[in-house]
Amino acid sequence: MIKRESNTQSGAFGANNLDFWRRFLHLRPLMSTVGGKNESRQAFDLEGYLTGRTAAVNRALNRWLPPPTAKPATIHKAMRYSIFAGGKRMRPALCLAAAEACGGSLEDALPLACAVECIHTYSLIHDDLPAMDDDDLRRGKPTSHKVFGEGIAILAGDALLTEAFALAAWFREGRRYSQREVVLELAGAAGSRQLIAGQVADLEGEGKKISARQLRYIHERKTSALLRCAVRLGGMSADCTAAQLAALSDFGHHVGLAFQIIDDILDVTQSSAQLGKTAGKDQAAQKATYPAIVGLERSREIAAQLTGRAFAALESFKGKAPALAALAEYLLKRNR
Ligand code: GRG
């Protein structure tokens, strides 16, 4: 069951996200430097868009996740601690923007946008565990295991992963996509051939010299698969055509790769305070990254090229995907 009473205690939830967007977008008005046909990006109010969509996602998560008072309270508090810790909500925003590009509704896309965010947050909780990246800071706060202990942190991740599939069960079938296809989409992206495969390759690559090709394999799975899944699910919620789904897949794939390269760049160029997570971890763990293999400047060029490919994938939407274009541009220029 995901329809639950709303929790009146969480008035402050999500405030971090909104403050972040306001700060970022006031400092850096959207400018079009990549990808050509960009009038719609210049005109698009990304700040307003993200403020509204982030608030909608936070309200939905607050309503659909078990309340913090539900027994056993510890696990529900831990789930909520991480999910409302102030993440950027990029995956749900991409999911909702994809739905809109295909003429869908917020209402139909929201359960899937929330499902992807639950999977993403679970992966961060587990990634931070001592057995994985062993990190103390996430989303500007102490990591789950630091606050709740390792056992509860593992279970909070497990519970969020499970909740994602309960949310996916709310998918309203249209003419083209069944619930089964939606569940398989989510399971495919989160499973041992994609998200977990990327994490395995990442763990096994630590301290080893790996090629750019192997690094791309990791990025495609660890990061790009879930972003691609987010936009595909948005399209599916809108009963998109096969051609639209293919364009969204292409877009999500390239945006996802660019996202991880920028993440690697930020790891070496920004502070922990700015990122809300420990900076410099990749180098300390001797992880292969694009900056380590090809240098910072070339990494920036590759991220810009990938973003250009993402813009190209949107051309078939003929200007009807301004939010997706603005998000791709933001993801390239972000500093957090
Ligand atoms: C199954 C035990 C077990 C662990 C799985 C799959 C996994 C652990 C970890 C995923 C690997 C991972 C953390 C990939 C990084 C993707 C990435 C760049 C995350 C940061 O995303 P942002 O910047 O974060 O969107 P916010 O906090 O803003 O949501």
Side-chain angles (χ1 to χ4, degrees), residues 1 5 33 39 62 70 80 129 158 173 205 210 217 229 261 333:
M1 272 293 283
E5 284 170 29
T33 53
E39 298 86 330
N62 186 46
R80 283 171 168 269
L129 288 167
D158 294 341
E173 292 190 355
I210 68 168
Y217 171 97
C229 170
I261 295 176
K333 293 177 177 175

Short mmCIF file of all heavy atoms in Angstrom, two decimals, residues 1 5 33 39 62 70 80 129 158 173 205 210 217 229 261 333:
data_model
loop_
_atom_site.label_atom_id
_atom_site.label_comp_id
_atom_site.label_asym_id
_atom_site.label_seq_id
_atom_site.Cartn_x
_atom_site.Cartn_y
_atom_site.Cartn_z
N MET A 1 0.83 -1.21 0.00
CA MET A 1 0.00 0.00 0.00
C MET A 1 0.87 1.26 0.00
O MET A 1 1.71 1.44 0.86
CB MET A 1 -0.84 0.02 1.29
CG MET A 1 -2.16 -0.71 1.16
SD MET A 1 -3.27 0.13 0.05
CE MET A 1 -3.83 1.47 1.07
N GLU A 5 -1.61 8.36 4.93
CA GLU A 5 -1.92 9.71 5.39
C GLU A 5 -0.71 10.59 5.26
O GLU A 5 0.41 10.16 5.46
CB GLU A 5 -2.29 9.64 6.88
CG GLU A 5 -3.68 9.10 7.10
CD GLU A 5 -3.89 8.82 8.56
OE1 GLU A 5 -3.28 9.49 9.39
OE2 GLU A 5 -4.67 7.91 8.85
N THR A 33 25.16 27.40 -24.66
CA THR A 33 26.49 27.34 -25.25
C THR A 33 26.71 26.03 -25.97
O THR A 33 27.72 25.84 -26.60
CB THR A 33 27.57 27.47 -24.17
OG1 THR A 33 27.31 26.50 -23.19
CG2 THR A 33 27.56 28.86 -23.55
N GLU A 39 16.69 28.04 -28.67
CA GLU A 39 15.85 29.16 -28.25
C GLU A 39 14.98 28.77 -27.06
O GLU A 39 14.83 29.52 -26.12
CB GLU A 39 14.93 29.62 -29.40
CG GLU A 39 15.65 30.14 -30.60
CD GLU A 39 16.03 29.01 -31.56
OE1 GLU A 39 16.27 27.88 -31.11
OE2 GLU A 39 16.08 29.28 -32.74
N ASN A 62 6.41 12.18 0.67
CA ASN A 62 5.96 12.33 2.06
C ASN A 62 4.65 11.59 2.28
O ASN A 62 4.42 10.96 3.32
CB ASN A 62 5.79 13.81 2.38
CG ASN A 62 5.46 14.03 3.83
OD1 ASN A 62 6.09 13.45 4.71
ND2 ASN A 62 4.46 14.84 4.09
N ALA A 70 5.16 5.08 12.05
CA ALA A 70 4.77 3.68 11.81
C ALA A 70 5.81 2.75 12.43
O ALA A 70 7.01 3.01 12.35
CB ALA A 70 4.67 3.43 10.30
N ARG A 80 13.25 8.08 5.77
CA ARG A 80 12.91 9.49 5.55
C ARG A 80 14.12 10.40 5.74
O ARG A 80 14.25 11.42 5.05
CB ARG A 80 11.78 9.90 6.51
CG ARG A 80 10.44 9.39 6.04
CD ARG A 80 9.35 9.57 7.05
NE ARG A 80 8.08 9.30 6.39
CZ ARG A 80 7.35 10.23 5.78
NH1 ARG A 80 7.71 11.49 5.81
NH2 ARG A 80 6.24 9.89 5.16
N LEU A 129 28.27 2.89 2.82
CA LEU A 129 28.57 1.95 3.91
C LEU A 129 30.07 1.66 4.02
O LEU A 129 30.79 1.73 3.01
CB LEU A 129 27.82 0.63 3.69
CG LEU A 129 26.30 0.68 3.89
CD1 LEU A 129 25.65 -0.59 3.33
CD2 LEU A 129 25.95 0.85 5.37
N ASP A 158 17.39 -1.23 1.76
CA ASP A 158 16.56 -2.35 1.28
C ASP A 158 15.09 -1.93 1.20
O ASP A 158 14.38 -2.25 0.24
CB ASP A 158 16.66 -3.55 2.25
CG ASP A 158 18.04 -4.17 2.27
OD1 ASP A 158 18.81 -3.94 1.32
OD2 ASP A 158 18.35 -4.88 3.25
N GLU A 173 -1.91 1.75 -16.60
CA GLU A 173 -1.63 1.22 -17.94
C GLU A 173 -2.36 2.01 -19.01
O GLU A 173 -3.53 2.37 -18.85
CB GLU A 173 -2.04 -0.25 -18.02
CG GLU A 173 -1.17 -1.14 -17.15
CD GLU A 173 -1.41 -2.62 -17.39
OE1 GLU A 173 -2.31 -2.96 -18.15
OE2 GLU A 173 -0.67 -3.43 -16.80
N GLY A 205 37.60 -2.31 -9.72
CA GLY A 205 38.60 -1.50 -10.44
C GLY A 205 39.47 -0.65 -9.52
O GLY A 205 40.46 -0.07 -9.97
N ILE A 210 42.67 1.13 -15.30
CA ILE A 210 41.65 0.65 -16.25
C ILE A 210 41.57 1.59 -17.44
O ILE A 210 41.93 2.75 -17.35
CB ILE A 210 40.26 0.45 -15.59
CG1 ILE A 210 39.66 1.76 -15.17
CG2 ILE A 210 40.32 -0.51 -14.42
CD1 ILE A 210 38.19 1.62 -14.80
N TYR A 217 32.15 1.62 -19.43
CA TYR A 217 31.29 0.49 -19.01
C TYR A 217 30.73 0.77 -17.60
O TYR A 217 29.54 0.59 -17.34
CB TYR A 217 32.11 -0.80 -19.02
CG TYR A 217 31.41 -1.99 -18.39
CD1 TYR A 217 30.73 -2.92 -19.18
CD2 TYR A 217 31.42 -2.19 -17.01
CE1 TYR A 217 30.07 -4.01 -18.60
CE2 TYR A 217 30.76 -3.27 -16.43
CZ TYR A 217 30.09 -4.18 -17.23
OH TYR A 217 29.43 -5.24 -16.66
N CYS A 229 16.59 5.22 -17.38
CA CYS A 229 15.36 4.60 -16.90
C CYS A 229 14.35 5.67 -16.48
O CYS A 229 13.16 5.57 -16.77
CB CYS A 229 15.71 3.68 -15.73
SG CYS A 229 14.30 3.03 -14.83
N ILE A 261 30.62 12.11 -15.65
CA ILE A 261 31.90 12.80 -15.90
C ILE A 261 31.95 14.10 -15.10
O ILE A 261 32.95 14.42 -14.46
CB ILE A 261 32.11 13.06 -17.42
CG1 ILE A 261 32.23 11.72 -18.15
CG2 ILE A 261 33.34 13.92 -17.65
CD1 ILE A 261 32.33 11.83 -19.66
N LYS A 333 26.47 22.15 -16.47
CA LYS A 333 27.07 23.34 -15.86
C LYS A 333 27.02 23.35 -14.34
O LYS A 333 27.49 24.30 -13.72
CB LYS A 333 26.32 24.58 -16.37
CG LYS A 333 26.52 24.82 -17.84
CD LYS A 333 25.69 26.01 -18.27
CE LYS A 333 25.94 26.32 -19.73
NZ LYS A 333 25.05 27.39 -20.19
#
